[in-house]
Amino acid sequence: MKAFVAFIVIGAVLSAITIPVYSVYDTPELAYSHFKKIQSYSKKFLQMSDVALTNFEDAQYYGSLLIGTPPQNFTVLFDSGSSDLWVPSVYCYSSTCRLHHTYNHQKSTSYVSNGKKVTFDYGQGGVSGYLSQDTVTWGGYKIPNVTFAELTNMPGSEWGSDKFDGLLGMAWQSLACNGCSVVFQKLYATGALGTNNSFAFYLTNVDNKAGSTLTLGGYESNLSQNDWVWHPLLSQTYWQIKLSGVSVNGKAITGTNMKAIVDTGTSILVGDAPIVDQITKEIPEIKTDCSNIKSLPNVTITIDSTNYVLTPQNYVWKIFQDGIYECTSGWQAANFPSELANTLILGDLFISTYYTQFDMGNKRVGFATAIQSSST
Ligand SMILES: *[C@@H]1O[C@H](CO)[C@@H](O)[C@H](O)[C@H]1NC(C)=O
Ligand SMILES: *[C@@H]1O[C@H](CO)[C@@H](O)[C@H](O)[C@H]1NC(C)=O
Ligand SMILES: *[C@@H]1O[C@H](CO)[C@@H](O)[C@H](O)[C@H]1NC(C)=O
Ligand SMILES: *[C@@H]1O[C@H](CO)[C@@H](O)[C@H](O)[C@H]1NC(C)=O
Ligand SMILES: *[C@@H]1O[C@H](CO)[C@@H](O)[C@H](O)[C@H]1NC(C)=O
């Protein structure tokens, strides 16, 4: 029995790997300008425009990824709200591409051509290119035969952040472009993760602070209170689960067929206006100088029958700049398309409060109370 237990533990250590992820806003200045941008979204604007789920201003956590043989180095956003991998191509002549590492398939001996044209439509405008196949190395694991997009057209300055070159989607195959690989699933298929077909995101709750991690093939047991509760997925598209209810200070908001999507690519708590308007109506105006945080109500999000409390410290976004704190609400209403009616996106403010396991093998999401790096 002892030997058996030791075997399991060693197996776990060998198969799971934790890699650090970094916030796009790694200087106080960048964090602050992002914060101001969100603060300036007027409600009216959000009511009128659909906020794309993969919103590049909001996508926050990136890390490194190698493509090809010998490996070419990229930084990519890890986005649980989409499913594709793309990086800029050396054949991209948009000025944005010149600010980034670009993929040169001619320099890779493991490249296999495909050439199928592909377009991704995002909130900030579309990008396009074609599919290619190559070996991807992620967290030290080699993943052969990944079909991904090399982009030849990336108009617009929104893509110009020098923090990341591309995107690595971590949602389900059904959201991926036709013929494209979901990289995590390809990694699992190599056997490198053993039988553990899951990954976990731990995000620190302080901007700019190191310590956020993505674990492939398991989770770290020292980052939460280990009070894991699992929730079955409603569909294998987004990481979409049932939202049983939301209440603010005990007052229940109403909505039929409410859903939640767990999305590492969204900073805040964005939701369909009919839901979020009811929540924000119950929350007094948040003073910019943060002086009334303590008097604000808790918001309780009920998933299946578990209550996840967000205190004002969790849902108010707080930024320290030039020696003072500034606060803004983490709740934003948007007009979602009809298939996402009454949906709430649980973004990074939620994930930093509740350490999240994305379990592809069992088609479920698990949350545990995160050990937070600060309680201010
Ligand atoms: C890739 O880039 C990252 C970040 O700059 C660096 O830490 C890593 O060592 C590089 N890896 C390779 C194989 O060049
Ligand atoms: C990858 O594709 C090549 C041909 O393109 C094939 O020979 C090889 O078996 C494939 N490897 C895996 C692991 O699928
Ligand atoms: C493997 O995945 C499950 C999710 O089903 C997780 O709860 C379990 O603890 C993981 N194992 C390791 C070693 O992390
Ligand atoms: C958690 O444990 C891992 C080893 O499993 C270690 O590398 C890491 O530093 C620990 N993190 C914290 C916050 O204690
Ligand atoms: C809000 O939730 C926290 C954590 O669960 C709890 O300690 C606090 O008493 C709650 N506040 C109110 C006003 O219910």
Side-chain angles (χ1 to χ4, degrees), residues 63-68 72-77 84-92 96-97 100-105 118 120 122 127-132 134-136 147-154 159 164-169 183:
S64 83
L65 191 79
L66 305 170
I67 304 180
Q72 301 174 32
N73 205 342
F74 299 91
T75 53
V76 292
L77 291 166
D84 299 302
L85 168 64
W86 58 255
V87 293
S89 168
V90 74
Y91 301 110
C92 174
T96 309
C97 289
H100 293 284
H101 297 106
T102 53
Y103 170 67
N104 186 343
H105 62 235
V118 65
F120 301 108
Y122 293 120
V127 297
S128 60
Y130 54 86
L131 302 185
S132 287
D134 211 333
T135 299
V136 165
T147 303
F148 64 98
E150 54 173 295
L151 297 187
T152 50
N153 188 27
M154 295 177 76
W159 312 95
F164 59 91
D165 306 308
L167 181 95
L168 192 158
V183 183

Side-chain angles (χ1 to χ4, degrees), residues 12-13 15-16 195-198 217-219 230 357 359 362 364:
V13 170
S15 59
T195 55
N196 205 306
N197 195 357
S198 75
Y219 71 103
W230 292 98
Q357 288 192 63
D359 184 354
N362 299 299
R364 58 184 186 166

Side-chain angles (χ1 to χ4, degrees), residues 112 133 144-145:
V112 177
Q133 183 185 306
N145 297 1

Side-chain angles (χ1 to χ4, degrees), residues 247-303:
S247 67
V248 188
N249 246 0
K251 185 176 179 210
I253 65 141
T254 56
T256 52
N257 201 8
M258 294 191 290
K259 300 179 183 81
I261 288 173
V262 194
D263 182 12
T264 62
T266 296
S267 307
I268 52 176
L269 299 149
V270 185
D272 198 18
I275 300 295
V276 172
D277 285 349
Q278 291 181 68
I279 299 172
T280 51
K281 211 172 90 215
E282 299 299 323
I283 300 175
E285 187 167 353
I286 295 162
K287 297 225 165 78
T288 309
D289 68 2
C290 308
S291 61
N292 67 339
I293 289 196
K294 286 208 172 83
S295 69
L296 299 173
N298 286 344
V299 177
T300 300
I301 293 175
T302 307
I303 298 168

Side-chain angles (χ1 to χ4, degrees), residues 111-370:
Y111 163 72
V112 177
S113 73
N114 176 316
K116 189 177 158 235
K117 289 198 161 45
V118 65
T119 298
F120 301 108
D121 240 342
Y122 293 120
Q124 275 89 26
V127 297
S128 60
Y130 54 86
L131 302 185
S132 287
Q133 183 185 306
D134 211 333
T135 299
V136 165
T137 307
W138 186 17
Y141 296 121
K142 261 197 175 16
I143 314 163
N145 297 1
V146 172
T147 303
F148 64 98
E150 54 173 295
L151 297 187
T152 50
N153 188 27
M154 295 177 76
S157 57
E158 300 290 352
W159 312 95
S161 159
D162 57 0
K163 294 290 175 233
F164 59 91
D165 306 308
L167 181 95
L168 192 158
M170 299 183 75
W172 291 77
Q173 184 73 52
S174 63
L175 291 186
C177 47
N178 201 358
C180 299
S181 305
V182 173
V183 183
F184 181 79
Q185 285 299 58
K186 289 290 259 192
L187 167 59
Y188 178 70
T190 66
L193 305 177
T195 55
N196 205 306
N197 195 357
S198 75
F199 58 90
F201 273 93
Y202 171 81
L203 304 179
T204 63
N205 62 333
V206 181
D207 270 313
N208 322 323
K209 198 171 160 163
S212 296
T213 61
L214 160 62
T215 299
L216 303 173
Y219 71 103
E220 295 282 346
S221 57
N222 56 358
L223 298 176
S224 75
Q225 293 176 11
N226 278 318
D227 47 349
W228 292 102
V229 178
W230 292 98
H231 305 288
L233 296 185
L234 291 179
S235 71
Q236 291 155 55
T237 52
Y238 298 103
W239 290 93
Q240 188 182 52
I241 51 184
K242 183 178 170 194
L243 181 59
S244 312
V246 180
S247 67
V248 188
N249 246 0
K251 185 176 179 210
I253 65 141
T254 56
T256 52
N257 201 8
M258 294 191 290
K259 300 179 183 81
I261 288 173
V262 194
D263 182 12
T264 62
T266 296
S267 307
I268 52 176
L269 299 149
V270 185
D272 198 18
I275 300 295
V276 172
D277 285 349
Q278 291 181 68
I279 299 172
T280 51
K281 211 172 90 215
E282 299 299 323
I283 300 175
E285 187 167 353
I286 295 162
K287 297 225 165 78
T288 309
D289 68 2
C290 308
S291 61
N292 67 339
I293 289 196
K294 286 208 172 83
S295 69
L296 299 173
N298 286 344
V299 177
T300 300
I301 293 175
T302 307
I303 298 168
D304 299 327
S305 56
T306 304
N307 289 335
Y308 294 95
V309 175
L310 291 175
T311 66
Q313 285 79 9
N314 300 141
Y315 69 73
V316 170
W317 203 6
K318 197 173 179 186
I319 280 265
F320 191 66
Q321 171 83 355
D322 296 335
I324 52 158
Y325 278 109
E326 272 196 47
C327 280
T328 197
S329 173
W331 297 100
Q332 293 288 346
N335 276 341
F336 279 174
S338 58
E339 69 269 23
L340 296 178
N342 293 332
T343 295
L344 180 62
I345 310 295
L346 303 175
D348 299 339
L349 288 177
F350 187 88
I351 297 167
S352 63
T353 311
Y354 297 100
Y355 186 24
T356 305
Q357 288 192 63
F358 298 83
D359 184 354
M360 286 196 135
N362 299 299
K363 304 180 180 66
R364 58 184 186 166
V365 174
F367 299 116
T369 311

